[in-house]
Amino acid sequence: MKNRKLPFSQALSVGALAGMRSTAAPLIVSHILNQSHSYDLEDSPLDFMQSKTTATIFKLVALGEIVMDKLPSTPDRIKTQSIGGRIMSGALAGAALYKAQNGSIAAGALVGAVAAIGSSFASFFLRKAVVEQCKIYDPIIGAIEDAIVIGLGVELCRGRS
C-alpha cells in the first residue's frame, strides 16, 4: 500500500462506516488491499484480506446487508448482537489497514472498533430523528444511508478521504 494516508485516519473512517453498515468496512479494506498488495500483511493472520476471493465475498455479503437493513425484522444496530458485529467489522478493517502499513494490529483494531461504536449510536439516533421529524418512511432513509456509505467507500478506495 503505497502513497496512502495515515492508517489512523483510514481506520477511523472505515470504523465509522462499519457503524453504519457492518460489512462496509471489511469490503472497502479488502478491495483496497486487493488492488494495492501489502508485503507487510504477508505471513500475518490478516493476509486473507488481500485476496480477490475475500473481496468478492465481502461484496456479496454487503449486498445482502443492504436488503436486510430495510426489513422490519432486522434488529436495531445498537442491540447487542448487531453492535458486536459492527465492532468486530471495524476492528478487522482497522487492524488490516494498520498492519498493511507496518503498524500495530492491536492499535488498528482499537481505532476501528471505537469508531464503529460511536458511529453505530450516532447514525442510529440520527436516522430515527430524521424519520420522526421528516415523516419519511424508514427504508427510504436507509437507502439514503446506503448511498452515503457507498459514496464514502468509493472515496476511500480512491484515496481521497
Side-chain angles (χ1 to χ4, degrees), residues 5 7 27 32 41 44 46 50 52 55 58 69 71 74 92 102 123 125 130-131 135-136 140 148-149 155:
K5 290 189 176 191
L27 181 161
I32 290 169
L41 277 174
S44 85
L46 297 171
Q50 301 188 101
K52 183 175 184 171
F58 279 129
D69 175 66
L71 300 176
T74 301
L92 171 63
N102 200 25
S123 62
F125 288 112
V130 169
V131 167
K135 308 290 188 233
I136 298 174
I140 293 172
I148 291 168
V149 170
E155 289 302 304

Side-chain angles (χ1 to χ4, degrees), residues 125-138 141:
F125 288 112
L126 179 61
R127 180 170 169 172
K128 293 297 177 195
V130 169
V131 167
E132 186 177 306
Q133 294 294 318
C134 299
K135 308 290 188 233
I136 298 174
Y137 187 52
D138 185 75
I141 301 303

